[in-house]
Amino acid sequence: MRVLVQRVSSAHVSVDGQIVGAIEPEGQGLLALVGVTHTDDSATAQRMAEKLWQLRILDDQLSAADVGAPILVVSQFTLYADTAKGRRPSWNAAAPGPVAEPLVDEFAEALRRLGATVATGRFGAHMQVELVNDGPVTVLLEL
């Protein structure tokens, strides 16, 4: 599992012109773009949620857990693009939808169990993500 995390002052995701998930933190929040690979499982989703929740990338080296920062979770299989050969990325390392969707859902639910306020995109949909990256701060998490 790969999670590209951006510290944001606001973020929302739309499908067909309708906002399906949004966070408007009083301070800072996190946008988590989540990619799933073939070897990921429920334990991976749980560990990654814990890592993100405790990640100290907010002001004053605080974590989302420290300040209750909201998190917008958006699936993004393109995080597993292989661009080593040619001009067309290969998506072979990305798990197929029937495998990836429940794991993205488990990741979001694990964050909720940890105490996070979580909004989500819509798996498999063509989404438009708008955000204000604060810093900018962008970090790639992998296990």
Side-chain angles (χ1 to χ4, degrees), residues 1-6 30-36 40 44-45 47-49 51-52 55 71-74 76 79-80 104 107 111 138-143:
M1 184 172 278
R2 290 180 179 160
V3 178
L4 185 67
V5 183
Q6 294 184 308
L30 300 174
L31 169 63
L33 303 172
V34 181
V36 177
D40 293 336
T44 306
R47 286 192 321 270
M48 188 62 83
K51 187 170 188 169
L52 175 62
L55 188 66
I71 302 171
L72 176 58
V73 173
V74 177
Q76 188 159 359
L79 290 175
Y80 278 98
V104 172
F107 173 76
L111 285 166
T138 302
V139 177
L140 180 62
L141 300 181
E142 293 185 277
L143 292 176

Side-chain angles (χ1 to χ4, degrees), residues 74-87:
V74 177
S75 63
Q76 188 159 359
F77 76 93
T78 60
L79 290 175
Y80 278 98
D82 180 353
T83 60
K85 294 181 181 178
R87 297 177 299 167

Side-chain angles (χ1 to χ4, degrees), residues 1-13 19-34 45-58 62-75 104-122 129-132 139 141:
M1 184 172 278
R2 290 180 179 160
V3 178
L4 185 67
V5 183
Q6 294 184 308
R7 185 175 74 186
V8 299
S9 57
S10 66
H12 70 266
V13 58
I19 294 176
V20 296
I23 58 170
E24 296 289 336
E26 290 183 23
Q28 297 169 322
L30 300 174
L31 169 63
L33 303 172
V34 181
Q46 178 67 40
R47 286 192 321 270
M48 188 62 83
E50 291 166 0
K51 187 170 188 169
L52 175 62
W53 187 232
Q54 298 294 332
L55 188 66
R56 298 187 171 281
I57 61 170
L58 301 179
L62 296 174
S63 69
D66 294 329
V67 298
I71 302 171
L72 176 58
V73 173
V74 177
S75 63
V104 172
D105 290 345
E106 285 186 45
F107 173 76
E109 190 54 39
L111 285 166
R112 289 183 184 107
R113 285 192 304 271
L114 290 166
T117 299
V118 178
T120 62
R122 186 173 301 151
V129 180
E130 294 184 41
L131 65 129
V132 177
V139 177
L141 300 181

